[in-house]
Amino acid sequence: MGGSLIRQAQLGDRGAFEELAAESIDRLYSTAILILGDRAMAEDAVQEALIRAWRGIPRLRDLDRYGAWLHRVLVNACFDVAKRVRMPAIRLESASFADGGGSFETAVDARDQVTRALARLNPRERAVLVLRFFAGLSVPELADALDVPLGTAKSRLHHALGAMRAALDADGRVALQGGWA
């Protein structure tokens, strides 16, 4: 993101902020869908996040952390939207799987397993995993986005990965018992 655009937005330039929003809206929307699992809820969260970002950008001190700050604003908006509405099942429609030599069916099955496992997690666990593995934030950037110390971010990531493993294991047990067609 351009530091000059951020600075202009901080000074009240709507056009600069609109340009910043346009540069990040697809990424924000994809992240919100993965956290919330619903297009309408994701749209609400992104809209709410952009409104909060416009209001809060004058207080942003470190321009280099704009991306992490914007993710933090989005995650908080996702949590607020999730509190207002019952959480739907998660679908990884936009997630891509690299061709590792496996079949299309194998990739679809893996996507479906991850989808079911994510659905078992709470929104905070989902947010940690989505920001780290789908949005590609480093652990220090994750800490910034969650507005927590680095050690806390590492702990939350560790616990979220454990919850994901447990959900995947549970899904595997159901599949072995013939629960999935």
Side-chain angles (χ1 to χ4, degrees):
M1 302 275 159
S4 65
L5 276 179
I6 298 168
R7 175 66 64 205
Q8 290 171 354
Q10 284 184 310
L11 297 173
D13 184 337
R14 262 188 205 274
F17 184 79
E18 288 172 4
E19 198 170 325
L20 288 169
E23 289 176 11
S24 58
I25 194 136
D26 290 338
R27 183 173 29 93
L28 294 174
Y29 181 65
S30 295
T31 300
I33 284 177
L34 289 169
I35 293 171
L36 296 168
D38 179 83
R39 291 179 188 276
M41 289 171 61
E43 288 172 4
D44 289 348
V46 169
Q47 182 177 4
E48 193 167 316
L50 289 174
I51 290 168
R52 291 178 187 180
W54 169 247
R55 291 178 180 155
I57 200 165
R59 295 183 300 280
L60 178 65
R61 292 183 188 153
D62 187 351
L63 302 186
D64 292 334
R65 295 193 172 186
Y66 171 78
W69 172 79
L70 189 57
H71 274 102
R72 179 181 336 130
V73 172
L74 175 67
V75 167
N76 288 332
C78 286
F79 292 162
D80 290 345
V81 167
K83 287 177 194 172
R84 292 191 298 255
V85 182
R86 183 179 171 275
M87 293 292 292
I90 301 296
R91 295 190 51 178
L92 294 181
E93 297 170 1
S94 62
S96 62
F97 293 88
D99 184 14
S103 68
F104 175 76
E105 291 81 15
T106 302
V108 169
D109 184 50
R111 183 196 66 212
D112 290 346
Q113 286 178 330
V114 170
T115 297
R116 287 189 299 270
L118 274 174
R120 293 174 183 243
L121 304 181
N122 67 49
R124 292 196 183 278
E125 292 166 334
R126 287 181 195 165
V128 169
L129 296 176
V130 166
L131 291 173
R132 176 68 181 102
F133 297 106
F134 291 95
L137 299 185
S138 67
V139 176
E141 291 170 327
L142 178 64
D144 281 345
L146 298 174
D147 197 24
V148 297
L150 182 61
T152 302
K154 288 178 182 180
S155 175
R156 287 185 185 179
L157 179 59
H158 174 77
H159 289 292
L161 286 169
M164 185 70 166
R165 278 189 206 96
L168 286 168
D169 287 347
D171 188 47
R173 285 192 299 274
V174 170
L176 288 175
Q177 296 171 1
W180 300 118

